Amino acid sequence: MIKQDLLLRAVVPAPVLAAGVFAGGFSPLAWATGVVYGLALVLLTEWGLRRSGRGAFGPADWITFARAVLVGCAAALVAAGGFSLGWLVALVGVALLLDGLDGQVARRTGTASEFGARFDMEVDAFLILLLCIQVSHALGLWVLAIGLMRYAFVAASWPMPWLTAPLYPSMARKTVAAVQGVVLVVAVSDLLPFALAFAAVALALASLVWSFGRDVAWLARHRVAPARIITLTRASLRRPLGYGHNQAA
């Protein structure tokens, strides 16, 4: 069963990533992106499963994996450049529509796990960064702040481990996170005039700064010892609203 699971994870991404390369006009950079992304996806998921003590994907993990493959296809397009925006918007739109479904499936099947939550978080983070890269071509490099903020948060948590403690459930946090994807997709699609797209992305960035700032302030006031964080993180898997910036919201 474990070998079959690994085989599926190794084979399934290939045709989808190849489609992204094809849509990107067989650009060498698109080929390189598709190959590197596919290998990284297989190797990192295998490493994550082994590290968590699990041998195979659960039902929710396969949904996240499907989203990850779509994001990889979109990455090949962005790397190639000069593609039809309709392809990118369609891929990203499906990936965003599937977001949240994996969490619901995990809770309803009783298969929620730290691995699954982290996997979902990393796919979301990379998708947002990918959209920021594309949007930055038109609006400027400042847009990358949206995609890099979560990675800056993770880097800050290395010297300050109290930042990795689970956050309280917050619908505002989840709404802000969802807004980033929607606004960036609209900006990518070129549906709005430059001024409106600029304003919308700027407001999205401002809301993200507010959300991160609020949560960092809360974590600073409620500092938790590293040993206690592990227990709290596992317990928070049962929360209906999931994680925060440092987890998988």
Side-chain angles (χ1 to χ4, degrees):
M1 177 64 181
I2 294 176
K3 290 183 178 180
Q4 182 181 14
D5 182 272
L6 177 58
L7 180 63
L8 285 173
R9 281 186 280 121
V11 173
V12 168
V16 181
L17 294 176
V21 174
F22 171 77
F26 293 101
S27 160
L29 189 54
W31 272 112
T33 301
V35 170
V36 172
Y37 185 94
L39 288 173
L41 181 60
V42 174
L43 293 175
L44 289 175
T45 51
E46 181 65 15
W47 174 78
L49 285 171
R50 290 180 181 274
R51 188 169 179 265
S52 64
R54 297 175 55 192
F57 274 179
D61 299 325
W62 281 112
I63 297 175
T64 308
F65 189 76
R67 292 178 52 234
V69 173
L70 292 176
V71 171
C73 189
L77 285 177
V78 172
F83 56 88
S84 171
L85 287 176
W87 282 98
L88 181 61
V89 172
L91 287 169
V92 172
V94 174
L96 289 174
L97 286 174
L98 289 175
D99 190 19
L101 179 61
D102 43 12
Q104 294 180 24
V105 170
R107 286 189 290 272
R108 292 180 181 180
T109 58
T111 56
S113 68
E114 191 173 349
F115 165 80
R118 182 62 181 269
F119 187 20
D120 179 64
M121 172 191 65
E122 296 299 343
V123 173
D124 288 343
F126 187 75
L127 174 57
I128 293 299
L129 179 58
L130 192 66
L131 288 171
C132 287
I133 292 172
Q134 182 64 29
V135 174
S136 70
H137 296 327
L139 301 186
L141 293 177
W142 63 271
V143 178
L144 295 177
I146 294 176
L148 293 174
M149 197 171 301
R150 184 257 164 186
Y151 294 103
F153 185 94
V154 171
S157 71
W158 297 339
M160 296 179 287
W162 49 269
L163 286 173
T164 63
L167 289 161
Y168 56 93
S170 169
M171 186 57 67
R173 184 189 308 118
K174 294 180 74 67
T175 300
V176 168
V179 164
Q180 308 306 309
V182 173
V183 169
L184 288 170
V185 169
V186 172
V188 162
S189 67
D190 279 343
L191 292 175
L192 298 177
F194 177 86
L196 286 179
F198 189 98
V201 176
L203 286 174
L205 174 58
S207 69
L208 192 62
V209 170
W210 167 81
S211 183
F212 269 95
R214 183 187 66 158
D215 288 340
V216 169
W218 186 89
L219 289 167
R221 290 196 305 268
H222 302 83
R223 296 194 181 193
V224 180
R228 177 64 174 158
I229 289 175
I230 297 176
T231 301
L232 292 174
T233 299
R234 290 172 178 171
S236 67
L237 286 170
R238 295 187 292 271
R239 289 178 180 172
L241 292 181
Y243 289 76
H245 300 303
N246 52 346
Q247 305 293 336

